Amino acid sequence: MGPAPTGEQLCGAIGEPEVMEPALEGTGKEGKKASSRKRTLAEPPAKGLLQPVKLSRAELYKEPTNEELNHLRETEILFHSSLLRLQVEELLKEVRLSEKKKDRIDAFLREVNQRVVRVPSVPETELTDQAWLPAGVRVPLHQVPYAVKGCFRFLPPAQVTVVGSYLLGTCIRPDINVDVALTMPREILQDKDGLNQRYFRKRALYLAHLAHHLAQDPLFGSVCFSYTNGCHLKPSLLLRPRGKDERLVTVRLHPCPPPDFFRPCRLLPTKNNVRSAWYRGQSPAGDGSPEPPTPHYNTWVLQDTALESHLQLLSTMLGSAQGLKDGVALLKVWLRQRELDKGQGGFTGFLVSMLVVFLVSTHKIHTTMSGYQVLRSVLQFLATTDLTVNGISLCLSSDPSLPALADFHQAFSVVFLDSSGRLNLCADVTASTYHQVQYEARLSMTLLDSRADDGFQLLLMTPKPMIRAFDHVLHLHPLSRLQAACHRLKLWPELQDNGGDYVSAALGPLTTLLEQGLGTRLKLLAHSRPPVPEWGISQDPPKHKDSGSLTLGLLLRPEGLTSVLELGPEADQPEAAKFRQFWGFRSELRRFQDGAIREAVVWEAASMSQKRLIPHQVVTHLLALHTDIPETCVHYVGGPLDALIQGLKQTSSTGEEALAVAVCCYDDLSRLLWGLEGLPLTVSAVQGAHPVLRYTEVFPPTPVRPASSFYEPLQERSSLLPRLDKPCPAYVEPMTVVCHLEGSGQWPQDAEAVQRVRAAFQLRLAELLTQQHGLQCCATATHTDVLKDGFVFRIRVAYQREPQILKEVQSPEGMISLRDTPASLHLERDTRQLPLLTSALHGLQQQHPAFSGVARLAKRWVRAQLLGEDFTDESLDLVAAALFLHPEPFTPPSSPQVGFLRFLYLVSTFDWKNNPLIVNLNNELTVEEQVEIRSGFLAARTQLPVMVIVTPQDRKHSVWTQDGPSAQILQQLVVLAAEALPMLEKQLMDPRGPGDIRTVFRPPLDIYDVLIRLSPRHIPRHRQAVDSPAASFCRGLLSQPGPSSLMPVLGYDPPQLYLMQLREAFGDLALFFYDQHGGEVIGVLWKPTSFQPQPFKASSTKGRMVMSRGGELVMVPNVEAILEDFAVLGEGLVQTVEARSERWTV
Amino acid sequence: GAPGRETGGPGIAGRCLGVGGGRGSPGAAARLGVSSGGLWPQLRSPEDPRGALLLAHSLGASLSWSTLPLGEPTTVHLSPRANPFPSTFARPAIPIKFSEKQQASHYLYVRAHGVRQGTKSTWPQKRTLFVLNVPPYCTEESLSRLLSSCGLVQSVELQEKPDLAESPKESRSKFFHPKPVPGFQVAYVVFQKPSGVSAALALKGPLLVSTESHPVKSGIHKWISDYADSVPDPEALRVEVDTFMEAYDQKIAEEEAKAKEEEGVPDEEGWVKVTRRGRRPVLPRTEAASLRVLERERRKRARKELLNFYAWQHRESKMEHLAQLRKKFEEDKQRIELLRAQRKFRPY
């Protein structure tokens, strides 16, 4: 430990300040962090910064060319703005396939074609006799029941055709897939192959034989099976090239029947093609009722016959119109960002392409439209059309033999027929999925209509993973439970139709059940789609239960969350029985105040946080009651983060109630102030200015009842003092309240005199409150502390003109002008802006009940990372408010959990360098004003703080971030958030439970140069720590009101006092980091510049010593003495000072 | 009863000052013609205390250590570990520690206080010792005690940074100007005799701030006693406010009386000073007011102007629109360039 200076080392340190942390390299995570910090240090501040554009006059006013005019006109007509046009063009460039790669893919496809047609044929065998298959390959299909009639032989495909988006040029990077249809020769198939999965068995065997031969070919890097669109009866073969092109392309082989082999009339949605006798080994209920229809099974067969006709249709419609292709590509990006296209039954790119074709054929889209306009039109169509009620069809013929749309609606939840009029393209799409698409489209349309500047970014570039998009998420795990659920729900026909896929079969009824049960609490219910698996050719296909877990996302309606009651029909109504049946034993007869006797369900929830979790009770109750899924299999992720903002002793509440009690007490106090008699000027307004009064204090105050034996009483000033022989008393922070007086011309006009008069007001206020209301008061020159019902308020009298008086500057000519001074800005902030902000955020909390939780979690996290002191309370509150006021592309969060995740996302991705964070409180800023603010921001960027937050009251200065954070601290926060977000999301999405949720709240300590460990005895807020200690010290509080009504010890927090001294003494040399909520350690980081020797100057001697370096006298920090000072200044509080001297050299 | 005349009705009524008006800056110049620039300074009060203050500051800043006479720089090359007391350098350094328990020590850099010719300083020459790098736990009392071995100490003043003028004692109100938390400070120690300074320059140390006979509080002890001191005493505050306001009222009354005397009396050139206490209210002479007037003028002119009336105006406004579009396009292009550089167009 200590300085070990040599000349060479020092020279190195001068050259590059980053050499300070050489010890970090090579130790995994720490190394990475150090390097990222290094990057921040090394980066010049001007790089990557937008500069205001300067164009010469000649440049601006030259005659326009025809071409330029055309371009401008096109931009105006076809796009929103030139920025959007450029953005769209850039995005398309990024996702489109380059010509060079296309050539390579084409070459690969030719190779594939040659090899496929050369696969040798096999003689005919019974379908059930699969002994001919070589050992290394398994049939990619669950053959249940195994026995089936029919024969199979392999013959090379009659035709190999490329189908799908690759030919159309609408496929997007990454994950380029090329679909190849292999037409099986007619000799393989027999009559009645459409029955009882015979066609699918043959298809699977066909692929198995192909796979065996292709796997031996050195051309392919990997050969494996997957399912076509996730359908469990239809495997496909995936081929990837060997070598460096492995990630370039995936060729998917789909066998299909020869044209006109199946008679379409046999595959209508009303027909049965899987006989019960075969599938279940019994005929359907002996009374001779007809076989149940198998619409999904029929559709899957039909899909194989229609591959080529769909391709033809698409290429004739989209073929020559670049705008339409662009539009399809944009829509695919849009879907993918919302995770809507993935998995079985997703809203695929193919569906969107067909939708574009539909809109072209109905003249809603014209072929000359731009990609942006196509995107807009399709979203508009989706937002306004409910395909679950009114299906659409591409079929133009009015052939009476075609089935009616109503037939399809009966069989499928979403209906979109292709041009044949017999195939439902949306057969696998569930109603929930479609509603989600519709909901997203509606959100996107509002976003596009709002003309927001960053619409493109929000629409197409922001991912919306489930955990961040939905308020609550629940996992069903293990999936095998759903099999029992299917039997309980009597879904045998569906199972027969789905070929035994119980997950798909149960999905629809399950979501309907929950939607009905959650009723008004729910805005949207979405489910994850089972992922499409891939498996090696030598393995059996994965079982249904292996597809992980089923995840449901709940988007809650905040107004529905406060009720603990499900009101049913009156007892004598016929619906009552239904209600009882639906809710089971939870339904009770209740008499209501209006005299009605009704069926009702009452949930137990006392606090706001418990009410938020009522959906959990509903879901577990309904699933157990109706589907036999026990509570242990439902992993509800709604409130694991609540534990971090729960009060010290009540675990049932997240503090909203305690905050409301404090606010209520404040309301009482302001009434007392208004009615106060005897003040020379009456009170005109009382405004709160403390986080408690805007519901964002992390740990709400509790009424203080001091135990007199714990303190030293100071009777003559009726106050209590802390005692040396006791642990530090409880921390009581007075809540600031600003008190405005009626206007008067009698105030003095001199800053010093105003201060004195204000002090006299403070004294008078204390006197009157004691006299008239018997409150314990304590006046100082700047404020009056009032003890009311155990809460302490700090009343500050404000004089409206005082900031102006502080600002006045008289020029030599006698002209009085107003210039901002630090004192005036400070006063203005405290007495004008802070109350305004507090009341605005108080209002926000009334609108969005989750705001309090989100803001407090966010602050808790930032402080737990030891960065809390660099960010003002208000700046973090405003960032949290931005999540509610500008939630796009999401909706305002209704649970603290999702709000916190979005906070982390915002912090980790926001470009503070080039953008102000505009928080449009009360919607006061118009779009034009926001544009003006943005351009003003660019022009003044270098004078503004690193982090700029603009509100309607504070359009230019960003007052809450003026004093920090510095660029390095902000960068550190960004890095930490970027690491915490994926970690936390992974924990919450883990179906087996989130594990230790506090992991992301524990700060990394290995980045600090010195650690100062503090003694818990003198940390008053020790119990608020992230890992709350099992035992801590008594803080001198009684549980019942005691006789003492002396003023408790206010704002006495030894760690804070210690930090203040440290920063004052060593602020030039080092940075100090601490978690004010019960942190036991102070992290110290030497400033990169502080170890550079400096010339001897009177102003820079602080804590340094003179040394002779190469004949010159220079000053270097006296590290050894400073380390001992750390202990001296914090005597009693400091346990140890841990210097990691390996991390630095003087 | 009423606590003091400050908050009582008559107290405030006694200091009857206008709210809307400026600070005793009559609209005389505006009224009597702006050309009277030469006269205006005469009407203004001759001393501007703020100006004087500024002057002192700039002087203090211009005085840098390097211009002062220093000893010869030595070429001794030593590390501090080899030589823990680098007082062998020309610059006297006295090691100082908090107590005996500490191993390492800070160094006080001392020299006799002296200033360049012509610069004024209130500290007595020859008898004042200037001390740099005083550690935060070292108070004025302890420094005085530590240096008393060199001679009788008359006064010690700790300051945040070197300042030639002695700080005015009376403005240090305990209530309105609380002491800041100390960091490393500088000290001016005035000895009764010049010999004290030379004795101090030769001091070897190490000095101990806290000893058994004279313990200095730090840490928890200090914070608890600080807290006890900070519990306000309303009576003392009231007394202080009363005294201040009495003096202030007196000052204002005097000024008022003087202004009344001067009112309506022409000076030697015949100018009459118009104050806001006059019968007719005048425009306050503030920047805001003059800006308001200019704005009103501008709007009046804008109302008369015809827009897009002549063909050339039409042409010009079209061209202006085009130029705006071009500018926006350039801005957008720059934005895109930046986003592309940051790889912001990778959707996932």
Side-chain angles (χ1 to χ4, degrees):
Chain A
M1 149 176 146
T6 60
E8 292 80 5
Q9 266 177 337
L10 200 91
C11 289
I14 298 168
E16 29 186 75
E18 309 93 74
V19 178
M20 279 185 57
E21 317 109 2
L24 275 182
E25 308 294 342
T27 45
K29 200 175 139 196
E30 302 93 285
K32 194 175 130 210
K33 204 166 285 163
S35 66
S36 67
R37 256 179 59 218
K38 228 180 260 184
R39 219 175 300 129
T40 10
L41 290 175
E43 204 175 52
K47 200 184 148 202
L49 198 64
L50 285 178
Q51 307 286 336
V53 175
K54 288 195 189 81
L55 283 176
S56 69
R57 245 194 104 69
E59 193 94 8
L60 269 179
Y61 292 96
K62 70 177 177 212
E63 285 296 314
T65 58
N66 251 347
E67 201 177 323
E68 190 183 358
L69 280 179
N70 279 341
H71 186 85
L72 287 174
R73 193 176 306 127
E74 218 172 81
T75 306
E76 214 159 86
I77 297 169
L78 298 180
F79 291 85
H80 211 64
S81 67
S82 60
L83 180 66
L84 187 70
R85 176 178 197 157
L86 289 169
Q87 283 172 320
V88 166
E89 278 166 7
E90 280 301 319
L91 173 64
L92 287 174
K93 235 185 264 170
E94 193 68 42
V95 296
R96 212 179 274 138
L97 206 54
S98 69
E99 286 301 320
K100 223 167 90 192
K101 284 196 175 151
K102 250 186 209 163
D103 290 343
R104 262 153 62 199
I105 292 175
D106 285 340
F108 180 63
L109 283 176
R110 276 191 294 276
E111 297 277 334
V112 170
N113 186 16
Q114 282 174 16
R115 278 162 176 80
V116 166
V117 292
R118 263 192 265 134
V119 172
S121 36
V122 225
E124 191 163 78
T125 48
E126 282 290 314
L127 257 180
T128 44
D129 172 21
Q130 292 166 4
W132 58 272
L133 265 181
V137 62
R138 309 300 293 258
V139 181
L141 187 75
H142 295 292
Q143 306 184 61
V144 187
Y146 185 70
V148 69
K149 285 183 202 156
C151 302
F152 176 77
R153 60 187 295 203
F154 183 87
L155 290 172
Q159 200 183 348
V160 180
T161 349
V162 176
V163 292
S165 60
Y166 176 71
L167 273 192
L168 297 169
T170 58
C171 60
I172 58 167
R173 292 197 307 156
D175 305 338
I176 298 284
N177 291 312
V178 181
D179 292 307
V180 175
L182 309 177
T183 313
M184 294 192 277
R186 197 170 283 269
E187 294 82 49
I188 300 178
L189 300 172
Q190 291 137 353
D191 279 352
K192 290 198 174 180
D193 264 359
L195 268 184
N196 296 351
Q197 300 184 4
R198 267 187 236 167
Y199 165 68
F200 293 120
R201 298 279 164 94
K202 289 188 176 174
R203 204 174 167 278
L205 285 171
Y206 195 84
L207 277 181
H209 182 73
L210 262 180
H212 172 69
H213 281 274
L214 295 180
Q216 290 158 358
D217 201 300
L219 179 69
F220 303 111
S222 87
V223 176
C224 55
F225 289 123
S226 179
Y227 290 128
T228 308
N229 295 328
C231 168
H232 288 256
L233 291 176
K234 288 168 64 174
S236 59
L237 187 63
L238 308 188
L239 304 173
R240 293 200 180 91
R242 186 179 287 279
K244 66 178 168 62
D245 277 351
E246 173 133 21
R247 306 221 148 263
L248 174 70
V249 65
T250 306
V251 174
R252 301 192 288 202
L253 302 185
H254 309 278
C256 60
D260 305 326
F261 176 77
F262 291 110
R263 279 171 54 208
C265 61
R266 308 271 331 243
L267 295 168
L268 295 182
T270 47
K271 293 285 190 307
N272 171 290
N273 281 307
V274 183
R275 304 286 185 249
S276 308
W278 172 76
Y279 186 75
R280 282 195 269 158
Q282 63 181 62
S283 50
D287 54 358
S289 64
E291 292 268 354
T294 54
H296 288 96
Y297 177 92
N298 302 353
T299 306
W300 292 330
V301 178
L302 267 178
Q303 276 170 354
D304 276 1
T305 64
L307 288 174
E308 255 181 273
S309 67
H310 288 159
L311 177 74
Q312 268 165 14
L313 178 69
L314 284 171
S315 58
T316 44
M317 290 301 228
L318 307 181
S320 55
Q322 190 56 41
L324 298 187
K325 287 183 190 172
D326 290 352
V328 170
L330 288 179
L331 278 163
K332 283 184 176 178
V333 173
W334 183 82
L335 285 170
R336 183 152 173 183
Q337 294 290 19
R338 283 153 183 77
E339 294 183 349
L340 288 168
D341 59 339
K342 282 281 158 257
Q344 181 185 359
F347 208 79
T348 56
F350 168 68
L351 277 179
V352 176
S353 316
M354 290 307 258
L355 205 55
V356 170
V357 168
F358 173 77
L359 291 179
V360 172
S361 68
T362 52
H363 307 296
K364 292 214 171 87
I365 290 180
H366 196 259
T367 43
T368 55
M369 279 184 170
S370 72
Y372 166 73
Q373 284 174 314
V374 171
L375 172 74
R376 221 187 131 93
S377 311
V378 173
L379 291 184
Q380 174 68 27
F381 178 80
L382 281 172
T384 51
T385 321
D386 192 352
L387 293 188
T388 58
V389 183
N390 301 311
I392 51 171
S393 171
L394 274 168
C395 176
L396 299 173
S397 81
S398 50
D399 188 351
S401 68
L402 288 176
L405 268 180
D407 290 345
F408 284 95
H409 275 298
Q410 202 127 54
F412 304 104
S413 34
V414 186
V415 178
F416 175 21
L417 302 187
D418 77 340
S419 46
S420 71
R422 292 189 181 90
L423 170 60
N424 182 12
L425 298 169
C426 289
D428 292 338
V429 180
T430 63
S432 286
T433 304
Y434 183 72
H435 284 141
Q436 199 188 346
V437 171
Q438 220 186 350
Y439 179 77
E440 290 293 347
R442 235 177 279 140
L443 275 187
S444 300
M445 276 318 285
T446 6
L447 180 64
L448 284 176
D449 288 340
S450 74
R451 305 176 59 87
D453 197 28
D454 42 1
F456 170 82
Q457 195 73 25
L458 300 173
L459 201 63
L460 292 167
M461 306 299 284
T462 313
K464 289 185 75 174
M466 198 166 210
I467 187 73
R468 223 180 296 149
F470 290 90
D471 292 320
H472 289 176
V473 159
L474 70 104
H475 310 288
L476 293 181
H477 181 86
L479 274 183
S480 49
R481 275 283 163 188
L482 285 177
Q483 196 161 15
C486 278
H487 290 294
R488 177 69 202 269
L489 291 165
K490 302 197 176 67
L491 295 174
W492 300 298
E494 280 80 359
L495 278 178
Q496 191 172 335
D497 185 15
N498 277 298
D501 181 0
Y502 51 81
V503 180
S504 309
L507 209 46
L510 210 63
T511 49
T512 324
L513 175 75
L514 295 182
E515 268 167 5
Q516 194 187 342
L518 289 165
T520 52
R521 295 174 201 281
L522 192 70
K523 209 188 283 174
L524 183 74
L525 178 96
H527 59 80
S528 71
R529 283 160 290 278
V532 181
E534 272 180 32
W535 68 96
I537 57 167
S538 57
Q539 288 160 354
D540 278 324
K543 300 212 162 57
H544 298 304
K545 65 168 188 244
D546 293 336
S547 55
S549 65
L550 182 65
T551 306
L552 300 177
L554 312 181
L555 205 57
L556 303 172
R557 207 187 279 277
E559 53 268 32
L561 281 180
T562 46
S563 146
V564 291
L565 185 80
E566 308 286 342
L567 197 61
E570 286 188 27
D572 47 359
Q573 299 283 316
E575 296 92 44
K578 233 186 211 168
F579 187 83
R580 266 196 303 279
Q581 194 265 329
F582 185 76
W583 290 106
F585 64 92
R586 293 300 298 251
S587 170
E588 315 167 320
L589 269 184
R590 283 185 173 247
R591 178 189 219 112
F592 288 87
Q593 273 176 347
D594 60 352
I597 299 175
R598 287 166 175 267
E599 290 284 342
V601 181
V602 177
W603 308 103
E604 304 84 33
S607 66
M608 190 64 218
S609 67
Q610 284 173 333
K611 281 184 189 164
R612 263 200 303 265
L613 285 173
I614 288 179
H616 184 192
Q617 293 186 41
V618 175
V619 167
T620 39
H621 173 67
L622 287 180
L623 288 184
L625 184 70
H626 291 285
T627 64
D628 282 345
I629 299 178
E631 206 177 335
T632 48
C633 296
V634 183
H635 302 275
Y636 196 89
V637 185
L641 288 170
D642 286 356
L644 284 146
I645 48 170
Q646 259 159 10
L648 307 183
K649 276 167 193 153
Q650 330 94 334
T651 46
S652 59
S653 159
T654 46
E656 282 91 348
E657 287 72 28
L659 283 166
V661 169
V663 171
C664 201
C665 184
Y666 153 74
D667 287 339
D668 286 348
L669 178 72
S670 48
R671 264 192 292 279
L672 293 187
L673 285 172
W674 282 326
L676 213 54
E677 281 168 22
L679 265 187
L681 299 173
T682 53
V683 174
S684 67
V686 179
Q687 296 175 314
H690 191 267
V692 170
L693 305 178
R694 51 177 186 261
Y695 297 91
T696 63
E697 178 72 29
V698 179
F699 293 101
T702 46
V704 201
R705 298 172 190 122
S708 51
S709 63
F710 200 82
Y711 300 87
E712 190 88 56
L714 191 67
Q715 285 294 351
E716 69 268 28
R717 300 191 194 164
S718 50
S719 294
L720 296 172
L721 298 181
R723 272 168 65 161
L724 256 181
D725 55 340
K726 297 274 184 192
C728 176
Y731 180 72
V732 179
E733 192 176 292
M735 291 173 255
T736 320
V737 172
V738 177
C739 178
H740 290 279
L741 303 174
E742 66 175 332
S744 161
Q746 299 175 353
W747 284 85
Q749 297 300 306
D750 172 80
E752 287 281 318
V754 168
Q755 274 190 2
R756 292 335 191 262
V757 176
R758 250 195 312 122
F761 265 110
Q762 301 287 3
L763 286 167
R764 185 70 202 240
L765 206 60
E767 213 162 81
L768 291 176
L769 279 172
T770 314
Q771 270 175 18
Q772 295 176 13
H773 302 290
L775 298 177
Q776 183 59 254
C777 294
C778 185
T780 69
T782 51
H783 56 255
T784 306
D785 289 332
V786 182
L787 175 66
K788 185 176 188 311
D789 306 337
F791 294 106
V792 181
F793 294 93
R794 177 159 286 182
I795 304 174
R796 292 192 59 171
V797 171
Y799 169 45
Q800 292 92 326
R801 258 181 59 81
E802 194 176 353
Q804 209 176 334
I805 292 174
L806 287 172
K807 273 186 202 174
E808 280 181 356
V809 178
Q810 197 162 23
S811 68
E813 288 82 42
M815 170 79 89
I816 291 177
S817 48
L818 301 178
R819 294 278 173 273
D820 289 339
T821 60
S824 78
L825 286 176
H826 199 257
L827 190 70
E828 223 171 16
R829 200 173 71 184
D830 286 353
T831 59
R832 209 176 63 79
Q833 282 153 333
L834 189 54
L836 277 178
L837 177 74
T838 305
S839 72
L841 293 184
H842 182 281
L844 189 69
Q845 167 69 16
Q846 309 306 320
Q847 270 178 298
H848 302 285
F851 169 67
S852 167
V854 175
R856 289 159 58 212
L857 263 182
K859 274 199 261 190
R860 183 76 197 87
W861 180 78
V862 173
R863 289 175 184 169
Q865 300 301 325
L866 311 189
L867 298 174
E869 324 239 334
D870 296 281
F871 294 85
T872 53
D873 225 88
E874 293 75 24
S875 62
L876 292 175
D877 287 348
L878 280 172
V879 174
L883 300 173
F884 288 84
L885 294 168
H886 310 283
E888 298 85 5
F890 305 101
T891 43
S894 290
S895 74
Q897 166 189 306
V898 73
F900 178 60
L901 290 174
R902 287 187 212 163
F903 171 81
L904 289 181
Y905 179 73
L906 176 78
V907 168
S908 60
T909 55
F910 195 80
D911 182 10
W912 294 101
K913 238 193 249 171
N914 292 309
N915 290 298
L917 180 70
I918 298 181
V919 185
N920 198 354
L921 292 167
N922 301 327
N923 229 345
E924 276 175 51
L925 295 173
T926 61
V927 175
E928 291 76 35
E929 281 171 319
Q930 292 188 30
V931 171
E932 203 175 299
I933 285 171
R934 277 175 204 281
S935 57
F937 168 84
L938 279 191
R941 182 65 192 106
T942 44
Q943 284 98 51
L944 289 168
V946 186
M947 187 177 170
V948 177
I949 302 178
V950 175
T951 62
Q953 288 83 33
D954 171 26
R955 301 187 183 196
K956 285 207 178 105
H957 301 291
S958 184
V959 285
W960 309 115
T961 56
Q962 282 288 347
D963 306 331
S966 64
Q968 283 84 355
I969 299 288
L970 186 62
Q971 179 63 23
Q972 173 74 358
L973 187 78
V974 169
V975 169
L976 286 172
E979 269 175 38
L981 182 65
M983 203 194 286
L984 187 59
E985 285 188 343
K986 199 168 152 240
Q987 280 184 320
L988 294 177
M989 282 305 272
D990 191 337
R992 281 158 309 205
D996 186 3
I997 209 76
R998 291 167 199 264
T999 316
V1000 296
F1001 281 80
R1002 295 193 189 106
L1005 287 180
D1006 39 347
I1007 57 171
Y1008 296 106
D1009 294 328
V1010 182
L1011 293 180
I1012 305 176
R1013 303 218 178 253
L1014 308 180
S1015 138
R1017 188 180 155 90
H1018 292 290
I1019 305 175
R1021 290 184 268 183
H1022 189 221
R1023 278 184 192 277
Q1024 297 179 355
V1026 169
D1027 293 295
S1028 192
S1032 188
F1033 294 86
C1034 168
R1035 301 291 175 196
L1037 290 185
L1038 298 173
S1039 50
Q1040 293 300 315
S1044 158
S1045 66
L1046 301 182
M1047 189 61 84
V1049 173
L1050 296 180
Y1052 175 69
D1053 189 3
Q1056 291 297 328
L1057 296 168
Y1058 179 47
L1059 277 172
M1060 227 172 351
Q1061 285 192 331
L1062 286 179
R1063 293 205 173 109
E1064 191 53 47
F1066 309 109
D1068 297 341
L1069 298 175
L1071 298 169
F1072 298 90
F1073 299 88
Y1074 179 65
D1075 175 12
Q1076 63 194 79
H1077 295 296
E1080 282 185 48
V1081 63
I1082 294 178
V1084 185
L1085 206 58
W1086 300 121
K1087 283 191 180 175
T1089 50
S1090 61
F1091 282 35
Q1092 286 178 20
Q1094 292 185 351
F1096 190 91
K1097 256 196 292 177
S1099 56
S1100 67
T1101 51
K1102 299 177 173 184
R1104 293 168 185 263
M1105 60 184 179
V1106 177
M1107 298 233 319
S1108 172
R1109 278 273 153 75
E1112 253 183 86
L1113 290 177
V1114 290
M1115 309 224 59
V1116 291
N1118 189 354
V1119 178
E1120 281 181 55
I1122 289 174
L1123 289 177
E1124 280 185 324
D1125 283 352
F1126 288 169
V1128 167
L1129 290 177
E1131 203 180 308
L1133 175 66
V1134 174
Q1135 266 181 346
T1136 52
V1137 177
E1138 239 172 76
R1140 303 180 169 172
S1141 43
E1142 71 279 2
R1143 292 177 50 90
W1144 76 79
T1145 47
V1146 176
Chain B
R5 37 191 299 284
E6 288 70 39
T7 53
I12 285 181
R15 286 186 305 280
C16 181
L17 295 173
V19 167
R23 321 176 41 219
S25 53
R31 190 65 73 78
L32 304 175
V34 189
S35 58
S36 70
L39 271 180
W40 177 244
Q42 292 175 20
L43 295 172
R44 202 167 56 90
S45 68
E47 286 120 32
D48 186 356
R50 261 174 298 210
L53 208 73
L54 249 154
L55 201 66
H57 266 291
S58 61
L59 276 178
S62 72
L63 186 78
S64 80
W65 186 280
S66 56
T67 58
L68 294 169
L70 294 171
E72 294 296 313
T74 54
T75 48
V76 190
H77 188 103
L78 285 171
S79 80
R81 205 178 278 284
N83 178 14
F85 308 116
S87 54
T88 46
F89 292 129
R91 192 168 291 104
I94 311 168
I96 184 167
K97 295 202 277 191
F98 180 70
S99 69
E100 289 202 310
K101 273 184 272 176
Q102 274 66 42
Q103 309 282 323
S105 40
H106 282 292
Y107 299 97
L108 296 179
Y109 296 102
V110 295
R111 71 172 171 77
H113 172 68
V115 288
R116 258 178 302 177
Q117 289 286 310
T119 318
K120 275 211 176 133
S121 164
T122 52
W123 304 107
Q125 299 264 6
K126 306 247 169 75
R127 286 194 292 131
T128 309
L129 183 74
F130 178 46
V131 189
L132 276 171
N133 202 25
V134 181
Y137 38 75
C138 189
T139 59
E140 298 182 346
E141 295 81 51
S142 48
L143 197 60
S144 162
R145 182 177 54 75
L146 290 172
L147 293 176
S148 59
S149 62
C150 309
L152 276 178
V153 177
Q154 185 184 320
S155 70
V156 176
E157 175 141 349
L158 285 174
Q159 288 180 343
E160 210 180 314
K161 50 181 176 244
D163 188 2
L164 293 182
E166 215 167 338
S167 60
K169 283 272 190 282
E170 63 279 0
S171 79
R172 286 255 173 109
S173 157
K174 181 185 157 199
F175 298 107
F176 293 94
H177 305 278
K179 264 194 191 167
V181 181
F184 280 91
Q185 290 168 305
V186 299
Y188 291 95
V189 181
V190 183
F191 288 96
Q192 291 207 334
K193 290 187 192 128
S195 62
V197 175
S198 46
L201 288 177
L203 206 60
K204 280 280 177 270
L207 304 175
L208 298 180
V209 176
S210 173
T211 58
E212 268 190 37
S213 52
H214 297 278
V216 169
K217 284 179 182 169
S218 80
I220 296 287
H221 283 80
K222 182 175 183 309
W223 298 322
I224 288 184
S225 80
D226 281 356
Y227 184 81
D229 290 345
S230 76
V231 173
D233 179 3
E235 265 322 302
L237 175 61
R238 179 160 307 151
V239 170
E240 199 195 301
V241 168
D242 281 348
T243 15
F244 181 92
M245 286 318 292
E246 254 164 53
Y248 178 78
D249 279 352
Q250 209 172 349
K251 198 179 98 195
I252 292 291
E254 272 168 25
E255 271 175 25
E256 226 166 288
K258 197 170 158 235
K260 210 165 202 175
E261 217 171 84
E262 282 175 1
E263 178 151 21
V265 182
D267 65 4
E268 56 264 37
E269 279 183 54
W271 295 104
V272 176
K273 185 172 176 180
V274 182
T275 68
R276 59 180 168 164
R277 282 178 194 78
R279 208 161 300 153
R280 288 209 340 227
V282 292
L283 201 63
R285 205 172 132 70
T286 60
E287 201 177 34
S290 58
L291 280 178
R292 259 201 307 276
V293 172
L294 285 177
E295 173 65 15
R296 208 178 303 143
E297 280 295 310
R298 204 185 56 77
R299 240 181 296 150
K300 212 187 274 172
R301 231 176 300 127
R303 226 181 358 228
K304 286 182 188 155
E305 213 172 345
L306 287 169
L307 280 177
N308 280 346
F309 183 71
Y310 299 105
W312 60 267
Q313 276 182 325
H314 206 70
R315 214 160 43 233
E316 253 180 23
S317 73
K318 261 191 175 170
M319 204 61 207
E320 191 56 43
H321 178 66
L322 187 67
Q324 286 304 322
L325 280 179
R326 276 180 182 157
K327 200 162 165 221
K328 172 100 190 349
F329 186 59
E330 280 309 312
E331 271 172 18
D332 292 346
K333 267 208 292 205
Q334 195 201 357
R335 203 171 261 262
I336 296 291
E337 205 51 55
L338 183 79
L339 289 173
R340 194 189 298 148
Q342 293 171 344
R343 291 224 155 268
K344 281 281 175 66
F345 286 107
R346 283 263 169 96
Y348 8 79

